[in-house]
mmCIF file of all heavy atoms in Angstrom:
data_model
loop_
_atom_site.group_PDB
_atom_site.id
_atom_site.type_symbol
_atom_site.label_atom_id
_atom_site.label_comp_id
_atom_site.label_asym_id
_atom_site.label_seq_id
_atom_site.Cartn_x
_atom_site.Cartn_y
_atom_site.Cartn_z
ATOM 1 N N GLY X 28 15.872 30.229 45.301
ATOM 2 C CA GLY X 28 14.533 30.386 44.749
ATOM 3 C C GLY X 28 13.461 30.261 45.811
ATOM 4 O O GLY X 28 12.490 31.020 45.822
ATOM 5 N N ILE X 29 13.636 29.313 46.738
ATOM 6 C CA ILE X 29 12.679 29.176 47.848
ATOM 7 C C ILE X 29 12.700 30.439 48.700
ATOM 8 O O ILE X 29 11.653 30.931 49.115
ATOM 9 C CB ILE X 29 13.004 27.936 48.701
ATOM 10 C CG1 ILE X 29 12.747 26.651 47.902
ATOM 11 C CG2 ILE X 29 12.185 27.931 49.995
ATOM 12 C CD1 ILE X 29 13.168 25.377 48.616
ATOM 13 N N VAL X 30 13.881 30.965 48.963
ATOM 14 C CA VAL X 30 14.000 32.184 49.769
ATOM 15 C C VAL X 30 13.227 33.331 49.118
ATOM 16 O O VAL X 30 12.459 34.031 49.781
ATOM 17 C CB VAL X 30 15.485 32.576 49.970
ATOM 18 C CG1 VAL X 30 15.612 33.969 50.555
ATOM 19 C CG2 VAL X 30 16.193 31.554 50.835
ATOM 20 N N ARG X 31 13.407 33.491 47.822
ATOM 21 C CA ARG X 31 12.728 34.590 47.116
ATOM 22 C C ARG X 31 11.212 34.380 47.065
ATOM 23 O O ARG X 31 10.449 35.315 47.278
ATOM 24 C CB ARG X 31 13.289 34.722 45.707
ATOM 25 C CG ARG X 31 14.670 35.318 45.668
ATOM 26 C CD ARG X 31 15.139 35.569 44.238
ATOM 27 N NE ARG X 31 16.474 36.109 44.232
ATOM 28 C CZ ARG X 31 17.580 35.387 44.039
ATOM 29 N NH1 ARG X 31 17.494 34.086 43.820
ATOM 30 N NH2 ARG X 31 18.761 35.970 44.059
ATOM 31 N N GLN X 32 10.773 33.153 46.774
ATOM 32 C CA GLN X 32 9.346 32.888 46.603
ATOM 33 C C GLN X 32 8.592 32.776 47.921
ATOM 34 O O GLN X 32 7.521 33.354 48.074
ATOM 35 C CB GLN X 32 9.144 31.605 45.806
ATOM 36 C CG GLN X 32 9.560 31.729 44.360
ATOM 37 C CD GLN X 32 9.441 30.413 43.618
ATOM 38 O OE1 GLN X 32 9.078 29.387 44.186
ATOM 39 N NE2 GLN X 32 9.738 30.439 42.335
ATOM 40 N N GLU X 33 9.135 32.013 48.849
ATOM 41 C CA GLU X 33 8.396 31.718 50.080
ATOM 42 C C GLU X 33 8.575 32.770 51.166
ATOM 43 O O GLU X 33 7.663 33.044 51.925
ATOM 44 C CB GLU X 33 8.807 30.342 50.617
ATOM 45 C CG GLU X 33 8.559 29.207 49.651
ATOM 46 C CD GLU X 33 7.074 28.969 49.387
ATOM 47 O OE1 GLU X 33 6.259 29.153 50.309
ATOM 48 O OE2 GLU X 33 6.746 28.577 48.254
ATOM 49 N N PHE X 34 9.761 33.321 51.282
ATOM 50 C CA PHE X 34 10.026 34.329 52.313
ATOM 51 C C PHE X 34 9.901 35.752 51.784
ATOM 52 O O PHE X 34 9.915 36.692 52.563
ATOM 53 C CB PHE X 34 11.436 34.154 52.896
ATOM 54 C CG PHE X 34 11.660 32.884 53.664
ATOM 55 C CD1 PHE X 34 12.559 31.941 53.212
ATOM 56 C CD2 PHE X 34 10.981 32.632 54.842
ATOM 57 C CE1 PHE X 34 12.794 30.773 53.913
ATOM 58 C CE2 PHE X 34 11.198 31.470 55.559
ATOM 59 C CZ PHE X 34 12.107 30.531 55.089
ATOM 60 N N GLN X 35 9.844 35.912 50.450
ATOM 61 C CA GLN X 35 9.930 37.231 49.827
ATOM 62 C C GLN X 35 11.125 37.991 50.391
ATOM 63 O O GLN X 35 11.039 39.171 50.734
ATOM 64 C CB GLN X 35 8.635 38.046 50.014
ATOM 65 C CG GLN X 35 7.529 37.678 49.063
ATOM 66 C CD GLN X 35 6.730 36.498 49.553
ATOM 67 O OE1 GLN X 35 6.307 36.479 50.698
ATOM 68 N NE2 GLN X 35 6.518 35.522 48.708
ATOM 69 N N ALA X 36 12.240 37.290 50.495
ATOM 70 C CA ALA X 36 13.461 37.856 51.060
ATOM 71 C C ALA X 36 14.577 37.794 50.019
ATOM 72 O O ALA X 36 14.480 37.070 49.026
ATOM 73 C CB ALA X 36 13.865 37.092 52.315
ATOM 74 N N ASP X 37 15.624 38.536 50.280
ATOM 75 C CA ASP X 37 16.791 38.564 49.414
ATOM 76 C C ASP X 37 17.845 37.609 49.985
ATOM 77 O O ASP X 37 18.348 37.839 51.084
ATOM 78 C CB ASP X 37 17.348 39.982 49.345
ATOM 79 C CG ASP X 37 18.554 40.117 48.441
ATOM 80 O OD1 ASP X 37 18.939 39.124 47.788
ATOM 81 O OD2 ASP X 37 19.109 41.220 48.386
ATOM 82 N N PRO X 38 18.193 36.537 49.271
ATOM 83 C CA PRO X 38 19.193 35.604 49.796
ATOM 84 C C PRO X 38 20.592 36.220 49.904
ATOM 85 O O PRO X 38 21.469 35.625 50.522
ATOM 86 C CB PRO X 38 19.177 34.450 48.789
ATOM 87 C CG PRO X 38 18.583 35.002 47.557
ATOM 88 C CD PRO X 38 17.681 36.121 47.968
ATOM 89 N N LEU X 39 20.774 37.419 49.359
ATOM 90 C CA LEU X 39 22.071 38.090 49.408
ATOM 91 C C LEU X 39 22.180 39.092 50.557
ATOM 92 O O LEU X 39 23.123 39.882 50.604
ATOM 93 C CB LEU X 39 22.340 38.816 48.084
ATOM 94 C CG LEU X 39 22.266 37.969 46.820
ATOM 95 C CD1 LEU X 39 22.481 38.832 45.591
ATOM 96 C CD2 LEU X 39 23.261 36.830 46.861
ATOM 97 N N ASP X 40 21.223 39.071 51.498
ATOM 98 C CA ASP X 40 21.240 40.085 52.566
ATOM 99 C C ASP X 40 22.040 39.669 53.803
ATOM 100 O O ASP X 40 22.095 40.405 54.778
ATOM 101 C CB ASP X 40 19.819 40.488 52.953
ATOM 102 C CG ASP X 40 19.074 39.426 53.737
ATOM 103 O OD1 ASP X 40 19.631 38.334 54.009
ATOM 104 O OD2 ASP X 40 17.897 39.674 54.082
ATOM 105 N N GLY X 41 22.666 38.492 53.778
ATOM 106 C CA GLY X 41 23.486 38.062 54.908
ATOM 107 C C GLY X 41 22.739 37.257 55.955
ATOM 108 O O GLY X 41 23.339 36.820 56.939
#
Side-chain angles (χ1 to χ4, degrees):
I29 292 174
V30 169
R31 287 186 181 98
Q32 291 176 358
E33 301 294 326
F34 294 115
Q35 280 84 49
D37 181 4
L39 305 177
D40 73 0

